[in-house]
């Protein structure tokens, strides 16, 4: 089978038929190469990882859930190396194609899954989100994507990175498919619709001015569904302060996750990945303690802002996808700015859905909605309502 988007892991394609007659029968899906598929190596975006770990004997829990629901698995997709990336570039397997903006990166680390869905190679695809890896590709590729409430979905059979932030999500091109998959994975139907809308004025001010202008019609559409929006500051301490806290916590956990493998096998790794892991190994206890307190403040802030029936909207990313092949010095400030708009996910564990519908010079950019913990189904209902009045 051809792979025009370079979305799938090189080599023989993992293919499994779903259970006949299930609620997802007729749908096809792909899985990021962090999920176990029985009899298939879990590569994690690094060729030495697969060599150092046994071939799984069971499917990851969410992979099995979709098979049981009738969806057909058509392959495993490329990921940023050991999921430590946000742009979608992999030194071993290359950069998947962003079909919505072919001269730009697809976003990572769920790059292959987003690329496969955006190119129409499958109906939906599983990815993960620790620091933005579902939300960023959704924005860059013009897809529906979700970072569920932390702990909502079973992570059994998933290659970990930073367990206190790791989540499983899925992509779709249309809200109906997005909701069908969500009903199966979440175990509940979409709804109810929220009744109050907050607009994260600090996040909109932080994004490029063109982003706010492009997203304004989508915000107005949200107001038609939920009611007039009220401006609020999401992060009173500062978006960069929340980002610093996440950058202090997540890399430490990543280092703890991969340290035994690195020390025992001395794997080949890209410089940017090694640099991040080394940084995580050197975060002092005082910084970790401060970051843990900031995480509690962030959680308290969103509990205050998001009582039942209230959602918050903000740009998913501060700009559309960067061009492919830019140098590290150019990309690093971009990565830092992306983290400023994504840190709340890992810090608070709140669910977030990125909605497509806006472009800047032809490149997509998403609008995100955030709800209180456990309100995933309500956010999906908003996605359906937004598409219905498109």
């Amino acid at each position: 089978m051809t792979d025009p988007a370079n979305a799938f892991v090189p080599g023989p394609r993992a293919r499994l038929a779903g259970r006949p007659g299930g609620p997802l029968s007729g749908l096809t899906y792909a899985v990021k190469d962090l999920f176990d598929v029985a009899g298939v190596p879990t590569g994690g975006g690094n060729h030495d990882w697969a060599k150092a770990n046994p071939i799984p004997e069971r499917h990851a829990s969410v992979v099995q859930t979709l098979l049981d629901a009738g969806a057909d698995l058509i392959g495993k997709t490329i990921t940023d190396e050991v999921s430590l990336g946000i742009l979608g570039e992999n030194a071993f397997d290359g950069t998947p194609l962003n079909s919505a903006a072919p001269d730009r990166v697809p976003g990572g680390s769920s790059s292959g899954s987003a690329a496969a869905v955006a190119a129409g190679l499958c109906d939906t695809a599983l990815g993960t989100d620790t620091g933005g890896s579902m939300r960023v590709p959704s924005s860059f590729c013009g897809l529906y994507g979700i970072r569920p409430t932390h702990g909502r979905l079973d992570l059994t059979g998933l290659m970990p990175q930073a367990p206190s932030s790791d989540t499983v999500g899925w992509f779709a091109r249309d809200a109906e498919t997005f909701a069908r998959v969500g009903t199966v994975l979440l175990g509940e139907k979409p709804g109810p619709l929220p009744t109050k809308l907050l607009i994260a004025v600090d996040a909109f001010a932080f994004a490029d001015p063109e982003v706010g202008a492009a997203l304004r019609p989508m915000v107005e559409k949200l107001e038609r569904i939920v009611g007039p929006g009220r401006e609020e500051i999401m992060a009173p301490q500062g978006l960069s302060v929340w980002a610093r806290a996440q950058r202090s916590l997540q890399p430490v956990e990543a280092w703890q996750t991969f340290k035994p493998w690195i020390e025992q096998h001395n794997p080949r790794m890209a410089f940017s990945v090694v640099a991040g892991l080394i940084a995580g190994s050197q975060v002092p206890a005082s910084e970790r303690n401060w970051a843990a307190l900031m995480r509690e403040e962030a959680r308290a802030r969103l509990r205050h802002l998001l009582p039942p029936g209230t959602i918050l909207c903000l740009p998913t990313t501060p700009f559309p996808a960067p061009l492919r092949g830019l140098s590290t010095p150019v990309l690093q400030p971009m990565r830092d700015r992306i983290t400023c708009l994504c840190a709340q996910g890992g810090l608070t564990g709140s669910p977030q859905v990125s909605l497509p519908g806006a472009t800047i010079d032809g490149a997509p950019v998403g609008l995100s909605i955030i709800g209180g913990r456990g309100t995933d189904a309500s956010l999906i209902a908003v996605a359906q309502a937004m598409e219905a009045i498109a």
Side-chain angles (χ1 to χ4, degrees):
M1 186 174 181
T2 60
D3 182 10
N6 189 42
F8 292 93
V9 173
R13 191 82 64 84
R15 301 182 68 89
L16 294 167
R19 178 177 61 85
L24 300 183
S25 290
L27 292 186
T28 57
Y29 76 105
V31 299
K32 184 178 184 176
D33 195 21
L34 304 185
F35 295 89
D36 286 350
V37 173
V40 180
T42 299
N46 179 291
H47 295 181
D48 288 344
W49 177 267
K51 295 176 183 177
N53 290 274
I55 295 176
E57 298 179 354
R58 302 184 64 178
H59 304 316
S61 176
V62 288
V63 173
Q64 187 66 61
T65 297
L66 293 186
L67 288 171
D68 291 343
D72 295 329
L73 175 65
I74 66 164
K76 302 191 76 175
T77 57
I78 292 173
T79 171
D80 285 31
E81 193 175 344
V82 294
S83 72
L84 292 174
I86 204 65
L87 297 176
E89 298 176 305
N90 183 298
F92 293 96
D93 297 324
T95 303
L97 177 70
N98 181 348
S99 296
D103 59 337
R104 298 171 183 262
V105 297
S109 62
S110 304
S111 53
S113 289
V117 175
L121 304 179
C122 54
D123 298 303
T124 187
L126 293 175
T128 65
D129 190 309
T130 303
S133 294
M134 284 295 306
R135 293 164 287 166
V136 173
S138 297
S139 179
F140 287 176
C141 294
L143 299 172
Y144 292 91
I146 183 171
R147 177 197 163 90
T149 299
H150 183 256
R152 181 71 187 267
L153 298 185
D154 188 350
L155 304 188
T156 301
L158 171 68
M159 176 180 164
Q161 185 209 125
S164 72
S165 296
D166 290 346
T167 59
V168 171
W170 63 96
F171 299 107
R173 293 184 301 278
D174 62 272
E176 179 186 359
T177 302
F178 187 60
R180 284 180 66 187
V181 176
T183 299
V184 168
L185 290 177
L186 297 173
E188 64 174 315
K189 294 181 179 180
L193 284 170
T195 56
K196 294 183 180 179
L197 173 65
L198 304 179
I199 300 170
V201 64
D202 50 343
F204 273 95
F206 182 82
D208 288 353
E210 296 82 3
V211 170
L215 293 178
R216 185 63 216 173
M218 294 185 67
V219 175
E220 292 172 351
K221 192 182 296 185
L222 262 182
E223 291 180 312
R224 291 166 58 189
I225 295 167
V226 181
R230 185 180 82 244
E231 292 186 348
E232 281 281 1
I233 293 175
M234 180 174 69
Q237 301 87 350
L239 295 167
S240 62
V241 176
W242 282 22
R244 174 188 162 192
Q246 183 65 11
R247 284 197 301 266
S248 299
L249 296 169
Q250 183 179 334
V252 170
E253 288 191 51
W255 170 245
Q256 292 168 345
T257 295
F258 298 116
K259 178 183 177 182
W261 169 56
I262 292 170
E263 292 182 339
Q264 184 175 353
H265 297 278
N266 191 26
R268 297 164 297 169
M269 306 181 80
F271 171 78
S272 60
V273 177
V274 172
L277 288 169
I278 292 173
S281 74
Q282 297 176 340
V283 177
S286 59
E287 178 75 7
R288 297 197 303 269
N289 292 338
W290 167 83
L293 289 173
M294 184 53 61
R295 177 166 57 190
E296 294 305 315
E297 286 194 59
R299 290 175 176 177
R301 176 60 176 169
L302 287 199
R303 283 197 302 270
H304 170 72
L305 286 180
L306 299 173
T310 301
I311 61 171
L312 175 75
C313 73
L314 70 158
T316 306
T317 54
F319 40 73
L323 295 174
R324 298 164 66 102
L326 297 179
S327 66
T328 297
V330 173
L331 290 174
Q332 190 55 52
M334 294 182 176
R335 292 188 182 103
D336 292 341
R337 289 189 67 201
I338 290 170
T339 301
C340 287
L341 289 190
C342 289
Q344 74 281 344
L347 286 180
T348 71
S350 300
Q352 182 172 340
V353 166
S354 184
L355 305 168
T359 60
I360 298 173
D361 296 328
V365 64
L367 178 70
S368 271
I369 49 176
I370 301 175
R373 290 176 66 95
T375 63
D376 312 60
S378 180
L379 299 182
I380 293 174
V382 174
Q384 288 183 297
M386 288 282 284
E387 187 173 80
I389 62 173

